[in-house]
Amino acid sequence: MEKVVRMMAVLSEVYRGKWEESQIHAMDPGSPKISRGENYQGLPWIMLDYPRIFGRDEVLAIRTMFWWGHSFIVTLHLKGRYRELCLPALEKNAGRLEEAGFHIGITEDEWRHEHALETYRPLAGAGDLATGLPFLKLSAALPVDRWEEATGTLAAWFTLLVRTLASYQGDERGLSPGSSRAGSDL
């Protein structure tokens, strides 16, 4: 587990750099936070949250989770106004997200992370983003037996998510650097 914590610490710096490169300045992403626990469905876990904006009705987070014996998981979690602001960028880039292996969350429990038939299904284009849930989760998983690929794959998935969020060039409340009022109401 200590090896995973060190990996997450390295990833936190990579993620921070990718976030800064994206020039998304519409909100303060907080600082990276690494957490660990002993019992996610009976097994230990380690989680890196960055960006991490959590409120009761508003969430914008990218979670990277290591779940002992199962997988590494990267999840974009959006709720409230962040879901509404980011949806056009996600729709625009749904094909790229699908190609990268992202799945769409389908369970009503927004705190379920494991890739199972009742929690996620493969993303199948922009129309798949309308789940009817009050939150949106896109997630990709890498089996633990592909440990050697983990750092590069997780960083690539994070980069794709951040570039997707930064690509939105819509109304003036958007997350992009070209937005004239970026951040004024976030």
Side-chain angles (χ1 to χ4, degrees), residues 52-130:
R52 58 182 188 96
I53 303 169
F54 291 100
R56 192 176 62 123
D57 298 318
E58 310 285 329
V59 175
L60 186 150
I62 299 177
R63 295 194 127 173
T64 302
M65 180 179 184
F66 169 77
W67 185 25
W68 183 266
H70 287 272
S71 54
F72 293 93
I73 305 165
V74 171
T75 304
L76 173 65
H77 186 162
L78 301 168
K79 187 175 181 179
R81 66 182 157 188
Y82 297 115
R83 180 184 181 279
E84 300 312 312
L85 284 171
C86 297
L87 194 57
L90 295 171
E91 290 171 340
K92 176 181 163 186
N93 291 283
R96 291 174 56 206
L97 294 163
E98 180 182 352
E99 282 177 24
F102 278 87
H103 288 61
I104 184 91
I106 58 172
T107 181
E108 292 183 13
D109 181 351
E110 66 188 294
W111 306 110
R112 297 272 307 269
H113 304 293
E114 74 279 5
H115 279 230
L117 293 175
E118 67 272 7
T119 55
Y120 286 96
R121 70 171 180 251
L123 182 62
D128 221 14
L129 295 170

Side-chain angles (χ1 to χ4, degrees), residues 72 141-151 153:
F72 293 93
L142 181 72
V144 119
D145 64 356
R146 293 174 58 190
W147 175 273
E148 298 79 27
E149 303 168 45
T151 302
T153 300

Side-chain angles (χ1 to χ4, degrees), residues 149-165:
E149 303 168 45
T151 302
T153 300
L154 299 171
W157 285 337
F158 179 88
T159 301
L160 175 58
L161 290 172
V162 170
R163 286 184 179 158
T164 296
L165 296 179

Side-chain angles (χ1 to χ4, degrees), residues 1 35-46 67-68:
M1 293 299 274
S35 308
R36 62 189 305 169
E38 296 299 323
N39 189 13
Y40 183 76
Q41 296 189 1
L43 296 168
W45 55 270
I46 296 175
W67 185 25
W68 183 266

